[in-house]
Amino acid sequence: MPKSPRTARTGRATPHRTRAAERDWLLRCYVLRAADALAGAVVMYAVPLLVLTLTHSPGWAGLAFLLEWAPRLAAIAGAGPIIDRRSPQNVILGTSLARAGVALATMVGLVFGAGPWLVLVFGVVCGMLAEASFLASESLGGEASRRTAERAHQVQAVLTGTDQAALLIGPLIGGLLLLAGPALLLSAVAIMSAVAATVALTVRSERPRLYAVTDAVPTGPLASLATGLGVLRRTPALAWLVGALASVNLASGLVQVSAPITVTRTLDHSSAAVGLVWSIAAAVSLLTVALAHRAIDRHGLLRVGAASTALMCAATLVCALAPTLAVYAGAVAALMAGEGAATVVLRTARARLIPARSFAATLATTVLLALAPLPLAGLLVALWPSDHLQILVLSTAATVTVVTALCFRGLREHRDSWVTTTGTDHGGEQHLKAA
């Protein structure tokens, strides 16, 4: 029996409406990520600088940075179960509203003469909120990757580029606003947080709830960690992936921590040159992330990931041996470029490997393990004699090269679990088999 014109029209329009709805949902995810990441980047940069402005003491600024770190790690462990129960967008909504409220309360406190301790509290609280919202954004990015299937690497390239752009623009905005006074800076943080909260209200899944509340969902930080470790044991590719992430984080973290000492003492330049080096590197990294999905389309995830991490390791070696500031700046830019491309690859693989149920709890565990080398890098630089810092960077680069090579060998052995056999990755697999 032939369909009526109305039915036919409906049948033709439904796929179009579905594709339009998916594009709209994805665009809202991008806007949400941008607003939240920019607010977090401004806070991360501005808190030590705000403390320095109020106290004129580098010691207080260092204390502000130190006090942010441990609570951030604790927030990662505790946020996973909440995200699995409440959904990522609800967590971003809550953290954004809380950050806006804390910013306004801090502004009022400073008006009434509160000391720098209030800014320290602001930094600690906002640091915890930033990690929780980042974990929720990553969970939402995982859902976007599952929705887009073979185009997941393109989604992750946009999300990674958004993070890199926030890190590039955030310090600039924070520095300019702070010139006008702490009140304007804190007001801007509150406004950006309100924008993120507003967008979070519009991001909804078509399904009733992606993360079902069942007995299998962890209900606390320890249960969350146990769940994540269990998934790692059952998923060898994910364990190798976390090892690769931790390894490249150690390399980039060590260069980041040692850069001020290297530039000012070894290369005999001013502290302003340190900011110039990282600004150039951030711009190069942003460009690399924008081009990463094209490289993945042509060569596949595994080859791009191996090449980018190899570039990182080589750049770290050059950082240790650089005779001039120009060579050092080029090596740091290459390091950040490799890190940007590797991040796209590894986030795409992680989104495919972590099961949808208890995604955030497992993601929290992987993030904790991947970030663990960052404080280790700081501890190594603190304990190592500054006159021989090049030896530390050189030996660490060699170690990271070996560890990363082993991790990608393990990822290649288990590539069937994270590299698709259709679309972009198929071509990359053909290249691998030919090699």
Side-chain angles (χ1 to χ4, degrees):
M1 183 176 180
K3 294 180 180 180
S4 66
R6 180 178 180 181
T7 304
R9 285 195 301 269
T10 303
R12 287 194 301 268
T14 299
H16 175 74
R17 286 199 301 269
T18 301
R19 287 193 298 270
E22 285 295 319
R23 286 195 298 268
D24 179 69
W25 182 86
L26 198 56
L27 179 61
R28 292 171 188 269
C29 289
Y30 292 155
V31 175
L32 178 59
R33 180 68 164 250
D36 184 70
L38 186 59
V42 170
V43 171
M44 180 177 65
Y45 171 80
V47 166
L49 193 58
L50 183 57
V51 171
L52 185 62
T53 301
L54 295 173
T55 65
H56 304 287
S57 169
W60 271 93
L63 180 62
F65 183 82
L66 177 64
L67 289 178
E68 282 187 76
W69 184 254
R72 281 175 178 261
L73 294 181
I76 292 174
I82 299 175
I83 295 170
D84 282 327
R85 291 197 304 269
R86 302 296 182 185
S87 83
Q89 50 268 45
N90 286 338
V91 171
I92 297 175
L93 173 63
T95 55
S96 298
L97 291 176
R99 182 169 52 210
V102 172
L104 293 176
T106 303
M107 182 174 63
V108 173
L110 291 178
V111 169
F112 283 96
W117 61 267
L118 182 60
V119 180
L120 291 179
V121 173
F122 170 74
V124 170
V125 174
C126 285
M128 297 176 68
L129 294 173
E131 292 302 327
S133 63
F134 170 76
L135 194 64
S137 296
E138 283 289 274
S139 299
L140 198 59
E143 181 180 352
S145 295
R146 289 189 293 273
R147 286 191 178 198
T148 53
E150 69 276 1
R151 293 188 297 110
H153 63 286
Q154 297 176 4
V155 173
Q156 291 298 329
V158 174
L159 296 177
T160 304
T162 301
D163 292 341
Q164 295 289 341
L167 291 176
L168 181 63
I169 299 172
L172 177 62
I173 294 176
L176 292 175
L177 291 175
L178 195 55
L179 291 176
L184 184 59
L185 173 65
L186 293 169
S187 298
V189 171
I191 292 172
M192 287 183 284
S193 300
V195 171
T198 302
V199 179
L201 287 171
T202 69
V203 178
R204 286 291 179 266
S205 277
E206 292 182 355
R207 289 169 288 182
R209 175 165 291 183
L210 177 64
Y211 307 107
V213 180
T214 66
D215 293 337
V217 176
T219 57
L222 294 180
S224 172
L225 291 174
T227 298
L229 292 174
V231 174
L232 282 173
R233 286 194 301 268
R234 296 189 298 270
T235 316
L238 186 59
W240 288 116
L241 174 67
V242 172
L245 281 167
S247 181
V248 298
N249 278 340
L250 179 60
S252 62
L254 187 63
V255 172
Q256 182 177 354
V257 174
S258 64
I261 302 174
T262 300
V263 172
T264 57
R265 294 189 180 182
T266 305
L267 301 177
D268 196 23
H269 283 268
S270 67
S271 58
V274 181
L276 178 62
V277 166
W278 286 111
S279 296
I280 295 172
V284 172
S285 176
L286 185 60
L287 177 62
T288 305
V289 169
L291 300 175
H293 71 91
R294 297 182 182 179
I296 295 171
D297 285 336
R298 183 172 182 179
H299 301 291
L301 283 170
L302 192 55
R303 291 192 66 157
V304 173
S308 57
T309 52
L311 176 62
M312 287 189 66
C313 295
T316 306
L317 290 170
V318 176
C319 286
L321 303 173
T324 65
L325 181 65
V327 175
Y328 184 79
V332 173
L335 173 68
M336 294 295 290
E339 184 181 23
T343 301
V344 175
V345 172
L346 296 175
R347 282 183 176 180
T348 303
R350 185 173 62 187
R352 292 175 177 174
L353 286 169
I354 299 178
R357 177 170 293 180
S358 299
F359 183 92
T362 305
L363 178 63
T365 303
T366 65
V367 170
L368 278 173
L369 294 175
L371 291 180
L374 294 179
L376 175 61
L379 181 63
L380 288 174
V381 172
L383 297 178
W384 199 272
S386 60
D387 294 337
H388 303 286
L389 194 58
Q390 290 177 315
I391 298 176
L392 173 63
V393 177
L394 191 65
S395 58
T396 302
T399 303
V400 166
T401 301
V402 174
V403 172
T404 305
L406 292 175
C407 290
F408 268 90
R409 180 180 178 182
L411 283 170
R412 180 172 180 171
E413 290 177 354
H414 297 90
R415 60 182 177 270
D416 290 342
S417 61
W418 63 280
V419 177
T420 63
T421 56
T422 60
T424 59
D425 293 332
H426 180 70
E429 281 295 280
Q430 294 300 324
H431 286 294
L432 284 172
K433 292 174 182 176

